[in-house]
Amino acid sequence: MRRFVLGWKKLGHEKRLRAHIVNYADDLVICCRGGAEEALARMRDIMRKLKLTVNETKTRVCKLPEEEFDFLGYTFGRCCSSQTGRIYLGTVPSKKRESRICEAISSETGRNKTLLDQATVVGTLNRMMIGWANYFCLGPVSKAYRAVERHARKRLRRWLCAKHKVDWPATKQFPEAGLHDVLGLVRLGAQPAATADRRAADVGGDPAMGPDRPAGAGIHRFPLPNQKAKNGRLGWGAARGGQS
């Protein structure tokens, strides 16, 4: 991939087409204001000369803001400010990544896990959810957080019913507040807000958060489960985490 990026610049495609490459490992996006079809053709030419294979199922021209695309777990496209109603280009966690963390939560709360104690299961769920949220902290994330948190509550309640042989849904025996306040299931929505509007207000910028955004602005800081309490409060861990 490094040879492709160098060749793209050396051949003058970046300046001539005003097409800038953003890549991570072997995934890339070519951002341009026009001439997308030509940029795609030049990309295929260089890849062929380098004897690299292009994944045609994932390769396409996407026109923003009419369309959207996924990259590094985020969906890039049209977003709407919940406070002002303003439309802007931004990011949200992709549905695929949202589904993946929910599948992982389901896997950790299956009937084959009922021999584990509650603290172990809740601790596993918290680590998974915190790691996921620490990565997906850019743009309007509240909707995705609520979906993941709702799924975690449902699965934890099902696990408790199976473990204690209680009929589903058992909302009285295991109320929502008890799952969080008694058992300690993390509340993603209760953490510091990281919506585009909030982050923009923090730095006095646009909700789209362009290149003027200071490093680290608006990044989540979730408490890490393995940190000891200090003066009655949990220490705050840096907002870093891998993709789910």
Side-chain angles (χ1 to χ4, degrees):
M1 184 57 66
R2 180 174 177 273
R3 290 184 299 160
F4 167 75
V5 175
L6 291 175
W8 185 265
K9 294 179 179 180
K10 187 173 182 180
L11 293 173
H13 297 324
E14 182 176 71
K15 290 184 178 180
R16 183 173 60 84
L17 300 175
R18 299 174 64 191
H20 302 275
I21 295 176
V22 179
N23 76 288
Y24 181 81
D26 58 350
D27 288 334
L28 67 89
V29 173
I30 301 177
C31 304
C32 50
R33 293 187 176 276
E37 295 292 350
E38 183 179 356
L40 180 59
R42 299 289 79 75
M43 181 271 288
R44 286 196 171 103
D45 289 342
I46 298 176
M47 289 291 189
R48 184 170 58 254
K49 291 177 181 178
L50 293 175
K51 297 183 179 180
L52 297 176
T53 303
V54 177
N55 188 337
E56 296 296 342
T57 60
K58 297 173 61 177
T59 303
R60 65 186 178 96
V61 173
C62 179
K63 296 182 179 180
L64 298 176
E66 293 83 2
E67 300 177 272
E68 58 185 28
F69 67 92
D70 291 352
F71 184 56
L72 300 183
Y74 281 94
T75 295
F76 291 73
R78 190 196 304 268
C79 294
C80 179
S81 169
S82 59
Q83 297 180 359
T84 66
R86 183 175 181 271
I87 302 297
Y88 63 93
L89 292 179
T91 64
V92 294
S94 70
K95 292 297 183 181
K96 182 178 180 181
R97 293 295 183 175
E98 190 177 312
S99 297
R100 187 175 297 182
I101 182 64
C102 287
E103 290 173 1
I105 290 172
S106 296
S107 177
E108 293 298 329
T109 51
R111 289 183 174 272
N112 60 329
K113 304 284 186 177
T114 53
L115 293 180
L116 299 176
D117 60 81
Q118 295 173 175
T120 299
V121 172
V122 173
T124 299
L125 295 182
N126 284 348
R127 285 190 293 272
M128 292 168 53
M129 294 167 66
I130 289 172
W132 186 86
N134 279 341
Y135 179 81
F136 293 104
C137 61
L138 301 177
V141 296
S142 299
K143 184 178 180 180
Y145 282 9
R146 287 195 298 269
V148 172
E149 190 177 303
R150 184 166 55 248
H151 183 76
R153 284 196 299 267
K154 177 182 177 181
R155 290 300 308 177
L156 180 57
R157 188 179 284 119
R158 280 191 177 277
W159 179 85
L160 288 168
C161 287
K163 181 176 180 64
H164 300 290
K165 295 179 174 57
V166 178
D167 292 336
W168 173 261
T171 54
K172 292 185 178 180
Q173 294 91 331
F174 309 114
E176 179 178 321
L179 297 179
H180 293 288
D181 302 334
V182 178
L183 297 185
L185 184 66
V186 66
R187 290 182 183 270
L188 298 182
Q191 302 300 330
T195 62
D197 294 341
R198 177 62 177 273
R199 290 187 291 110
D202 290 343
V203 299
D206 185 90
M209 299 304 288
D212 294 332
R213 179 171 66 89
I219 299 299
H220 280 284
R221 291 185 178 276
F222 284 105
L224 302 180
N226 61 348
Q227 288 187 306
K228 296 181 179 179
K230 297 180 180 179
N231 299 324
R233 292 188 176 185
L234 281 173
W236 290 93
R240 299 182 64 86
Q243 299 181 38
S244 62

